[in-house]
Amino acid sequence: MTNGNQEIPYKIFLTEDELPEYWFDLRPDMVNKPAPILHPGTLQPCVAADLEAIFCEGCVAQELNTSERWIEIPGEVRDFYKMYRPSPLVRAYCLEKVLDTPAKIYYKFEGSNTSGSHKLNSAVAQVYYAKKQGITGLTTETGAGQWGTALAMACGYFGIDLKVFMVKISSQQKPYRKAVMETYGAQVIASPSDTTAAGRKILELMPDTGGSLGCAISEAIEVAATTPNTRYVLGSVLNHVLLHQSVIGLESEAAMAKYDIEPDIIIGCAGGGSNLGGLIGPFMSRKLKGQADYRFIAVEPASCPSFTRGRFAYDFGDTGCTTPLMKMYTLGSGFIPGPNHAGGLRYHGMNSVLSQLFHDGYLEARSYPQNSIFEAATLFARAEGTLPAPESAHAIKAAIDEALACKESGEAKTIFFGLSGTGYFDLAAYLSYNEGSLGDYVPSDEELESGFTTLPKVE
Amino acid sequence: MTNGNQEIPYKIFLTEDELPEYWFDLRPDMVNKPAPILHPGTLQPCVAADLEAIFCEGCVAQELNTSERWIEIPGEVRDFYKMYRPSPLVRAYCLEKVLDTPAKIYYKFEGSNTSGSHKLNSAVAQVYYAKKQGITGLTTETGAGQWGTALAMACGYFGIDLKVFMVKISSQQKPYRKAVMETYGAQVIASPSDTTAAGRKILELMPDTGGSLGCAISEAIEVAATTPNTRYVLGSVLNHVLLHQSVIGLESEAAMAKYDIEPDIIIGCAGGGSNLGGLIGPFMSRKLKGQADYRFIAVEPASCPSFTRGRFAYDFGDTGCTTPLMKMYTLGSGFIPGPNHAGGLRYHGMNSVLSQLFHDGYLEARSYPQNSIFEAATLFARAEGTLPAPESAHAIKAAIDEALACKESGEAKTIFFGLSGTGYFDLAAYLSYNEGSLGDYVPSDEELESGFTTLPKVE
């Protein structure tokens, strides 16, 4: 258990001066660029004006960027980052010992803030750009609540009004998530609600519905589009979100450079792609340029297998089929994922940059059923102290499997994964796992086919 | 908001090499020593053998220490500390700006671990000494659940069986706390239970009771006393707990020394005293020696005002009147605190070292009703990001009041407080506050008198 003669500390912290001054965009380094996003009406590539009715200008510019590698992080955003960043790169000495593996395991821990995850990195950036543009109100949707919490924190800090449409069943099951968002000053509305046309329409058809993320998105977009000085913000999938999250990978790279650490395998969980994309950015850049050869592994739940069983096609971002079309690995916007407690990984599609990289063979993907995920999470918690988010535990599971493979082969590989958040607000899932009542739902081929029938005909 | 030309970073981190190698015991520096703990039968000062039937030998030796200033932190404990320590000393730039105060505000943040508070500092030490002694099982009680969680983490790491007697009403209201403890491998038993004679007796008299901390203590002590190789552990009040918590103050002192920071006012919340005692140790030592003059402020809830309205007398540590007697500020072991959500501050007594210091005028104390505490907590959360534990918010409230007094007077004092934990598992209280349904309970003089009638006749 002791660090002994190792010169690498348990936690590598950068100083505040070493906090990155620029975000990193991977797109300029890609040979096969991600396909452009298309206007759902004209099927032509979106221009800024198409997106600025809904999104803030600063974010739209970043979304449509293809040539700038480095985007300066505004001083106000860096100051906010300094309250919880740089985050530590942790050497998992205790996990290594428990696994009795020759592998060296590192993880970047993004859970040291009240939102409990990496989501805050993009929330503060998006709220900053809204404030700069003179926007006074923002809307968003939230399912599990992590994104809503992060956004509430950022809005509380910058003094922007926030309406969060929270899937009704989640708001009933997670009153505490609502309490956190309200403490930071956000207004939390159970969706469907009677405050929007979209909500009223659903309530008329299905008065007893518990709501859905698709419906909450529709309500949030409607309010943003119809309220003066108000915009809509999204916590994953889009490229400007990945840009903001690149701070994770950049800090990791800088921390590793301090101790000459060179990873062999880089692992991240993948839902919409914000965590994985941010984590791997600078490392993937080196691989694309032939400067290094890393194995990248995306890990997803078997219940929502966009990479491992999805199709590479243009699709809508929402179940209401109103958003621009993105080319991505998708299960179809009509796919309804089965019960899985990793709410952050229950999205039908995947960011377009990551999708292109996977398509081109730069990225591996694998999926696991959820009981094996909670088994890994429990082992990790007892060894390393931190109780992981179920989402993050997908990366832990793959890291453990790779470390055990090293034990088998006797190789001392360096394994690096992203611990994107803590599980403090996901304890209902741990409770079910401890009681043995957690199911291992895997969709049948027929269920997947039914999702694919909802794909739009574009090409 | 910007750090600007300030050379002090938002967060001052020590390196792992700078983690203290010794805990600090304040008693050798005290002119008036705390009164000895007495055997409840003989009323004579306890000797080691009296305590070793219940507590681990290593902890008993530390409890009875009066001459050693520095106690070496065992290597295994330091290695565990390295997973979450050194903890940051934070400059509250954003809070200062929101308050528009010339005061400089610092806080030591102990919430960056899954137990969510400073409790882990003593839990790991106590479990280590148990393991060293060949103890295979530990028992404890928990009310709000923070101490139980910290102990479960330490026991999970060292491979010691743990039985946590959790007040029944708490275990029903906080199933998630139970889930965390079980994830770390602890057995959580709702108290009163039919697994002990003490529990069965209560159940026979009051089959529908929701339990009490006093009853849970009795059950935990009974199991420890009647099970081979099993001991009982406590998370506050005792002097060896304060010793372990001295790591908070020592790290704070070292971090301040790096930037020539000299506090004028040092503030901590006070329940049993583990946080406050650990925070102020090395600073109080300098004051006792005449090397520095700090103001120390203990902050307690108006609903449980041991310092501000209690008596300095010998009293039992438990409501069952079975523990050794400690001389302390107390409301009487029969005092039942009114509803207050800061569960960690609902103890009738106060550590004996702190009690003596208060008695001798080295320490101020004040109390606040809970709505003002949550108001301060919300202001802090929006400014500084972190959602504080209600306990810690008592220190925040006093720090804000002192900072506003500086604004009034124009003085640029340096205010330092302990942020002992996060409020992630206390959201029911925030929910009540947000809804405006939190009461401000303050006991009447008659209620306090009724508590004092339970004081034993010792002197």
Side-chain angles (χ1 to χ4, degrees), chain A residues 165-234:
Chain A
F165 288 89
M166 187 171 188
V167 177
K168 187 182 280 178
I169 183 79
S170 289
S171 78
Q172 288 164 349
Q173 288 172 346
K174 297 192 165 192
Y176 294 165
R177 268 290 182 190
K178 185 167 173 277
V180 183
M181 291 185 265
E182 287 173 347
T183 295
Y184 285 95
Q187 186 185 353
V188 182
I189 302 167
S191 168
S193 74
D194 61 5
T195 68
T196 67
R200 287 190 293 272
K201 188 171 161 191
I202 297 279
L203 284 173
E204 208 175 284
L205 292 169
M206 299 183 283
D208 298 325
T209 179
S212 71
L213 212 48
C215 174
I217 293 176
S218 301
E219 290 201 80
I221 291 181
E222 179 184 325
V223 171
T226 57
T227 312
N229 257 333
T230 300
R231 293 291 184 281
Y232 168 74
V233 288
L234 189 65

Side-chain angles (χ1 to χ4, degrees), chain A residues 399-414:
Chain A
I400 289 175
D401 280 2
E402 292 299 322
L404 292 176
C406 284
K407 184 179 178 181
E408 199 70 28
S409 68
E411 292 170 285
K413 288 184 184 167
T414 296

Side-chain angles (χ1 to χ4, degrees), chain A residues 1-2 9-11 16 79 82 85 114 153 157 179-180 183-185 378 381-382 385-387 424-425 427 434, chain B residues 1-2 9-11 16 79 82 85 114 153 157 179-180 183-185 378 381-382 385-387 424-425 427 434:
Chain A
M1 203 63 59
T2 173
Y10 282 66
K11 301 182 297 309
E16 274 167 27
D79 282 343
K82 286 175 187 169
R85 307 201 68 84
T114 290
M153 290 174 68
Y157 178 89
V180 183
T183 295
Y184 285 95
T378 301
R382 292 187 191 178
T386 300
L387 187 81
Y424 307 155
F425 296 106
L427 288 164
N434 292 340
Chain B
M1 203 62 59
T2 173
Y10 281 66
K11 301 182 298 305
E16 274 168 28
D79 281 342
K82 286 174 188 169
R85 306 200 70 83
T114 289
M153 288 174 69
Y157 178 88
V180 182
T183 294
Y184 285 95
T378 301
R382 292 186 191 179
T386 300
L387 187 82
Y424 307 155
F425 296 106
L427 288 165
N434 292 340

Side-chain angles (χ1 to χ4, degrees), chain B residues 308-332:
Chain B
T308 48
R309 297 175 70 194
R311 291 198 186 154
F312 191 41
Y314 266 107
D315 197 5
F316 295 102
D318 65 332
T319 51
C321 301
T322 63
T323 70
L325 295 164
M326 293 168 285
K327 185 153 183 199
M328 56 184 178
Y329 278 84
T330 176
L331 299 164

Side-chain angles (χ1 to χ4, degrees), chain A residues 6 8-10 89-93 96 104-106 384:
Chain A
Q6 299 276 6
I8 296 175
Y10 282 66
L89 177 70
V90 185
R91 174 73 183 267
Y93 284 115
E96 290 170 16
K104 299 177 185 73
I105 307 176
Y106 294 87
E384 289 286 317

Side-chain angles (χ1 to χ4, degrees), chain A residues 163-458:
Chain A
K163 272 190 191 172
V164 180
F165 288 89
M166 187 171 188
V167 177
K168 187 182 280 178
I169 183 79
S170 289
S171 78
Q172 288 164 349
Q173 288 172 346
K174 297 192 165 192
Y176 294 165
R177 268 290 182 190
K178 185 167 173 277
V180 183
M181 291 185 265
E182 287 173 347
T183 295
Y184 285 95
Q187 186 185 353
V188 182
I189 302 167
S191 168
S193 74
D194 61 5
T195 68
T196 67
R200 287 190 293 272
K201 188 171 161 191
I202 297 279
L203 284 173
E204 208 175 284
L205 292 169
M206 299 183 283
D208 298 325
T209 179
S212 71
L213 212 48
C215 174
I217 293 176
S218 301
E219 290 201 80
I221 291 181
E222 179 184 325
V223 171
T226 57
T227 312
N229 257 333
T230 300
R231 293 291 184 281
Y232 168 74
V233 288
L234 189 65
S236 189
V237 185
L238 299 176
N239 289 316
H240 66 274
V241 180
L242 264 73
L243 175 73
H244 306 149
Q245 296 297 354
S246 68
V247 69
I248 306 172
L250 293 167
E251 283 185 9
S252 302
E253 188 185 36
M256 289 182 182
K258 284 197 168 188
Y259 290 90
D260 287 328
I261 299 161
E262 189 66 32
D264 297 298
I265 306 172
I266 300 174
I267 301 169
C269 64
S274 72
N275 159 67
L276 180 68
L279 182 75
I280 69 174
F283 300 97
M284 182 60 83
S285 167
R286 281 197 252 165
K287 178 160 175 164
L288 290 171
K289 293 176 190 158
Q291 296 168 350
D293 189 22
Y294 308 114
R295 273 181 67 203
F296 295 94
I297 306 176
V299 192
E300 56 188 17
S303 63
C304 195
S306 342
F307 268 142
T308 49
R309 297 174 72 192
R311 291 199 185 154
F312 191 43
Y314 265 108
D315 197 5
F316 294 102
D318 66 334
T319 51
C321 302
T322 62
T323 70
L325 295 165
M326 293 168 286
K327 187 156 183 198
M328 57 184 178
Y329 277 85
T330 176
L331 299 164
S333 65
F335 175 77
I336 309 287
N340 184 300
H341 285 287
L345 304 182
R346 294 182 46 142
Y347 187 68
H348 66 277
M350 183 63 64
N351 166 267
S352 60
V353 164
L354 294 172
S355 291
Q356 188 66 48
L357 291 168
F358 180 67
H359 188 70
D360 293 342
Y362 290 103
L363 182 64
E364 304 169 35
R366 67 176 68 162
S367 73
Y368 293 104
Q370 69 176 340
N371 273 293
S372 69
I373 295 300
F374 278 88
E375 186 187 8
T378 301
L379 188 156
F380 180 84
R382 292 187 191 178
E384 289 286 317
T386 300
L387 187 81
E391 289 85 350
S392 318
H394 286 71
I396 292 173
K397 169 64 177 160
I400 289 175
D401 280 2
E402 292 299 322
L404 292 176
C406 284
K407 184 179 178 181
E408 199 70 28
S409 68
E411 292 170 285
K413 288 184 184 167
T414 296
I415 299 167
F416 168 51
F417 70 93
L419 189 67
S420 54
T422 55
Y424 307 155
F425 296 106
D426 303 291
L427 288 164
Y430 277 94
L431 198 60
S432 300
Y433 173 71
N434 292 340
E435 288 169 351
S437 61
L438 210 58
D440 270 340
Y441 179 80
V442 180
S444 67
D445 290 339
E446 290 69 31
E447 284 170 287
L448 290 186
E449 279 305 321
S450 147
F452 295 140
T453 62
T454 64
L455 286 173
K457 305 280 176 288
V458 175

Side-chain angles (χ1 to χ4, degrees), chain B residues 387-405:
Chain B
L387 187 82
E391 290 85 351
S392 319
H394 286 72
I396 292 173
K397 169 64 177 161
I400 288 175
D401 280 3
E402 292 299 323
L404 292 175

